[in-house]
Amino acid sequence: MITWRVPRLFRPLLNGLNIGKAQPCKVAEHSQAPATLQPERSFSSTHRLHDVPGDPSSAERVTVHFINRDGEKLTAIAKEGESLLDVVVNQNLGIDGFGACEGTLACSTCHLIFERDVFQKLDAISDEELDMLDLAYGLSDTSRLGCQVCVKKSMDGLTVQVPMEVSDLRRQMEVGKQSKQ
């Protein structure tokens, strides 16, 4: 029996573009104003870069290593509660094309591959994330999207692999424009 279903890519459109669901790492800040006065995502990350050693928030720091496509090991100090996508963006790590949709679960460019023991300890994966992973190149049994994985203290020393290839629709569109000229 053949069953028809809405292509996974279009589910966010049918669900009213409820993009707020795509940010699983909401953590209350200890020393900031109430969340109602803060924008959901700031375009400036300088407030995160100015934390000083000895500050109470420095106890929430977690070291994360990314193995880039070229084999280079990139190390970042993450804040507990951030998504791995936020870590890459806020630390300005040189991972080409990473997080093209800015964490809205509309692409798979923040695809990461975890070690099996770490993968098994991660929070449950959502249907929306599974849908986007279906579009990812180099998918493995331990693949997750960095925008959906929240940093925890228990992840200190974590190493994740960036897949060798990335599916970025923007590049495909650019190639198509160049071939028509």
Side-chain angles (χ1 to χ4, degrees):
M1 177 176 152
I2 298 174
T3 58
W4 185 88
R5 57 186 215 156
V6 176
R8 293 175 177 178
L9 185 60
F10 297 112
R11 276 194 204 150
L13 294 174
L14 295 175
N15 291 334
L17 288 174
N18 190 356
I19 294 174
K21 291 193 295 187
Q23 298 185 16
C25 301
K26 298 282 185 206
V27 175
E29 296 288 335
H30 300 291
S31 61
Q32 292 188 1
T36 56
L37 300 177
Q38 300 258 335
E40 193 167 305
R41 180 170 178 161
S42 172
F43 287 103
S44 171
S45 61
T46 55
H47 69 281
R48 294 180 187 196
L49 299 177
H50 291 290
D51 289 340
V52 292
D55 185 66
S57 63
S58 65
E60 302 168 348
R61 301 297 181 185
V62 177
T63 301
V64 180
H65 307 283
F66 296 86
I67 306 298
N68 208 346
R69 292 180 183 93
D70 61 3
E72 177 185 12
K73 186 176 188 176
L74 306 170
T75 300
I77 304 299
K79 189 172 186 179
E80 194 172 9
E82 285 182 301
S83 72
L84 290 175
L85 170 63
D86 288 338
V87 173
V88 170
V89 171
N90 293 339
Q91 299 285 325
N92 199 25
L93 299 181
I95 302 175
D96 188 41
F98 196 83
C101 75
E102 299 179 356
T104 60
L105 267 176
C107 73
S108 61
T109 58
C110 65
H111 171 207
L112 295 169
I113 300 171
F114 290 80
E115 294 172 355
R116 183 158 306 281
D117 60 326
V118 174
F119 178 82
Q120 292 172 345
K121 296 175 186 173
L122 297 176
D123 291 336
I125 191 167
S126 69
D127 288 340
E128 291 85 2
E129 182 179 355
L130 284 171
D131 291 345
M132 287 296 106
L133 281 170
D134 284 345
L135 304 174
Y137 289 128
L139 193 64
S140 78
D141 290 344
T142 60
S143 291
R144 290 291 302 265
L145 296 181
C147 67
Q148 298 301 297
V149 177
C150 300
V151 174
K152 297 178 182 177
K153 189 68 178 165
S154 62
M155 293 179 176
D156 195 31
L158 170 73
T159 300
V160 293
Q161 175 76 44
V162 178
M164 296 302 283
E165 296 183 42
V166 65
S167 175
D168 188 349
L169 185 58
R170 297 173 306 162
R171 285 190 184 158
Q172 294 169 4
M173 291 171 52
E174 288 173 9
V175 169
K177 287 179 185 178
Q178 289 175 357
S179 66
K180 289 181 182 179
Q181 292 177 355

